[in-house]
Amino acid sequence: MRRLLEEDPGRSSSQDVAALLGVSPSTMKRRLDDEGTTFREVRQSLLRERAIVRLLDQSLTISQIAVDLGYSDLANFSHAFKRWTGKSPSEFRNVGRRGPSLSMRTAHEGRGALLLLQMRRCLMP
């Protein structure tokens, strides 16, 4: 399921994803319940990760990132990002500027460690 969402992060319908997986929406929901998660949680986690990685790329505008992630407007993306991290996309990006300079390739390859470092910087008072 996560792989399907990665291909199209704006895909918002659990019914669409279930159909592509060849299962009913209730079966998909039950399997996710068995794993202790929900479709919404998986989707939000993926969107949060992608947003963080994209915000590290200073060549992309925040509006471009919002559209790439399937948000209809910048305000919706900004609200979601602030809910996830406690910071606006601009605040998060500014925290990243103070950190070590990394290429996007390095950022992508070391995504887990980089995300942890970035989140710690962002979320610490």
Side-chain angles (χ1 to χ4, degrees), residues 4-102:
L4 288 172
L5 287 171
E6 285 175 352
E7 291 172 10
D8 183 4
R11 187 187 315 272
S12 59
S13 167
S14 61
Q15 289 82 8
D16 291 343
V17 173
L20 289 169
L21 291 172
V23 298
S24 70
S26 60
T27 297
M28 186 175 77
K29 182 182 182 316
R30 190 170 42 258
R31 289 180 183 167
L32 289 170
D33 284 344
D34 291 345
E35 294 180 25
T37 193
T38 65
F39 178 80
R40 185 176 192 274
E41 288 171 349
V42 172
R43 184 174 181 275
Q44 293 295 306
S45 175
L46 174 69
L47 289 170
R48 180 181 59 245
E49 290 171 15
R50 286 190 134 188
I52 289 169
V53 169
R54 282 182 160 68
L55 285 167
L56 295 174
D57 182 352
Q58 299 293 325
S59 71
L60 298 172
T61 68
I62 295 173
S63 293
Q64 286 174 307
I65 294 167
V67 169
D68 289 348
L69 295 177
Y71 286 89
S72 57
D73 62 45
L74 180 58
N76 288 337
F77 170 66
S78 294
H79 290 302
F81 193 84
K82 189 159 190 166
R83 186 176 62 248
W84 299 329
T85 65
K87 304 275 185 200
S88 72
S90 298
E91 290 169 328
F92 183 86
R93 183 170 263 181
N94 289 336
V95 169
R97 283 188 184 144
R98 293 192 303 252
S101 176
L102 298 172

